[in-house]
């Protein structure tokens, strides 16, 4: 059987890795941090396939260094780390892992909503430090999540999964997106708003759009200024959808109540990032899809996409079907 040469840019869960190793002549990067660009370029020189993470930037120059490359299988639903137009030009298929991580990511978005509104992390630190003297009428007053108005930016798979959770909390659901989704409006009782109206009305704003040229810095100083002083912003999508400097300023000046972040403009954030000094923000290290079950499903899906593409089949999760028309 043919053994295609492939490079896997990090150790992924065993079930997926095994599939790759059984079907391909694969080299797996063993370090905990991504292969540096020069090394990545070197490693994929003779490869027909590469299994990448969102921390690998794959642009035209990288692709040019791998003339045999036919498939880039991204171990993530988001694929803003890959220049898809450049891949299509070169006849390279790009795949992602949608669907399998929807519910897990929605769980994390909800965890951030609750943690930020009820000041969970701050209160935990306080308890551990031994600062707790007595039950206090004014101790760690947060904001109610139940019954609040939730503004969802991007009512795709993940946005809808968050809306289903919000229904259980008796929340009013507003959404903004490029397209109206009338079925979801009926099923979830979600009401469409333009972005500015959503920001003005919502108590909690949660972001679920991919990062594209259109969504880059979609939430900046102006948008933050429209939010209520009691409002919360949660981002589990991509950091650059929010202008992080503007968000820092809004949090520092307490122009909004708080923020819950899983994603940043630059990941990891620096040890001395000013956000770290603030109490009204919950900071997570991009763990939206990080459950044992989901990461295993993502690994299998990424492996299957890679192998299908190498076999000359159409992978299940091809993001650039236009590549087939070349
Ligand atoms: C994670 O952020 C993903 O896109 O899968
Ligand atoms: C991603 O899975 C989305 O469409 O929300």
């Amino acid at each position: 059987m043919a053994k295609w040469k492939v490079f896997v840019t990090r150790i992924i869960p065993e079930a997926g890795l095994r599939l790759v190793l059984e079907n391909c002549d694969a080299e797996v990067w063993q370090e905990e941090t991504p292969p540096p660009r020069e090394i990545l370029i070197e490693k994929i020189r003779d490869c027909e396939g590469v299994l990448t993470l969102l921390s690998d930037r794959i642009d035209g120059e990288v692709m040019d260094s791998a003339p045999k490359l036919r498939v880039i299988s991204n171990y993530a639903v988001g694929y803003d780390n890959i220049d898809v137009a450049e891949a299509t030009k070169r006849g390279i298929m790009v795949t992602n892992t949608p669907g399998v991580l929807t519910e897990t990511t929605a769980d994390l978005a909800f965890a951030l909503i609750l943690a930020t509104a009820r000041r969970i992390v701050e209160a935990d630190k306080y308890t551990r430090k031994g600062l707790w003297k007595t039950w206090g009428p004014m101790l760690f007053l947060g904001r109610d999540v139940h019954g609040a108005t939730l503004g969802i930016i991007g009512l795709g798979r993940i946005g809808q999964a968050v809306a289903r959770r919000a229904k259980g909390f008796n929340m009013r659901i507003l959404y903004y997106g490029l397209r109206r989704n009338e079925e979801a409006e009926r099923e979830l009782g979600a009401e469409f708003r333009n972005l500015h109206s959503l920001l003005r009305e919502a108590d909690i704003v949660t972001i679920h759009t991919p990062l594209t040229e259109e969504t880059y810095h979609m939430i900046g100083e102006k948008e933050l200024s429209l939010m209520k002083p009691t409002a919360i912003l949660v981002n589990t999508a991509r950091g650059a959808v929010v202008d992080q400097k503007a968000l820092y300023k809004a949090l520092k000046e307490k122009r909004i109540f708080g923020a819950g972040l899983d994603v940043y403009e630059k990941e990891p954030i620096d040890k001395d990032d000013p956000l770290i000094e603030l109490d009204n923000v919950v900071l997570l290290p991009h763990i939206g899809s990080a459950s044992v079950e989901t990461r295993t499903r993502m690994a299998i899906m990424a492996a299957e996409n890679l192998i299908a593409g190498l076999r000359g089949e159409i992978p299940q999760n091809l993001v650039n079907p236009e590549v087939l028309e070349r």
Side-chain angles (χ1 to χ4, degrees), residues 6-10 27 29 34-47 49-53 55-59 61-63 65-66 69 72 81-82:
V6 312
F7 183 57
V8 180
T9 65
R10 204 84 63 81
E27 181 179 350
W29 182 249
R37 187 178 169 89
E38 325 77 72
I39 296 184
L40 175 69
I41 284 177
E42 176 62 33
K43 293 287 182 193
I44 66 173
R45 202 168 289 283
D46 298 318
C47 284
V50 60
L51 194 150
T52 52
L53 272 54
S55 42
D56 303 308
R57 169 137 290 288
I58 312 290
D59 55 21
E61 192 196 349
V62 172
M63 295 174 205
S65 69
L69 197 60
I72 301 169
N81 57 308
I82 299 169

Side-chain angles (χ1 to χ4, degrees), residues 37-211:
R37 187 178 169 89
E38 325 77 72
I39 296 184
L40 175 69
I41 284 177
E42 176 62 33
K43 293 287 182 193
I44 66 173
R45 202 168 289 283
D46 298 318
C47 284
E48 288 170 84
V50 60
L51 194 150
T52 52
L53 272 54
L54 54 88
S55 42
D56 303 308
R57 169 137 290 288
I58 312 290
D59 55 21
E61 192 196 349
V62 172
M63 295 174 205
D64 281 340
S65 69
K68 297 183 192 156
L69 197 60
R70 294 188 287 123
V71 190
I72 301 169
S73 170
N74 209 38
Y75 178 77
V77 65
Y79 46 84
D80 49 281
N81 57 308
I82 299 169
D83 192 328
V84 177
E86 291 297 316
T88 305
K89 266 194 226 162
R90 292 164 178 76
I92 301 171
M93 293 190 258
V94 178
T95 65
N96 69 339
T97 62
V100 288
L101 48 65
T102 300
E103 299 294 334
T104 302
T105 306
D107 283 348
L108 192 87
F110 228 88
L112 273 177
I113 290 171
L114 288 166
T116 309
R118 297 301 304 271
R119 304 172 62 184
I120 300 291
V121 177
E122 244 186 300
D124 173 277
K125 281 188 196 148
Y126 173 91
T127 310
R128 283 170 201 269
K129 277 189 193 149
L131 298 172
W132 186 24
K133 300 285 184 294
T134 180
W135 186 88
M138 307 301 270
L139 189 60
F140 284 108
L141 303 190
R143 294 274 151 201
D144 277 332
V145 173
H146 74 273
T149 297
L150 179 66
I152 300 178
I153 299 180
L155 196 64
R157 286 171 295 243
I158 299 170
Q160 290 177 50
V162 171
R164 285 195 297 276
R165 285 158 179 73
K167 278 183 79 165
F169 278 73
N170 198 24
M171 297 173 90
R172 177 163 171 234
I173 302 166
L174 310 178
Y175 80 100
Y176 165 72
L178 289 183
R179 276 171 297 278
R180 280 189 71 153
N181 180 341
E182 269 139 29
E183 197 180 317
E185 287 180 23
R186 270 195 307 278
E187 268 171 30
L188 301 162
E191 302 165 41
F192 186 84
R193 289 288 185 278
N194 66 40
L195 181 60
H196 286 182
S197 301
L198 178 143
L199 293 167
R200 280 194 198 95
E201 286 180 57
D203 299 309
I204 297 162
V205 175
T206 183
I207 301 174
H208 302 286
T209 78
L211 174 63

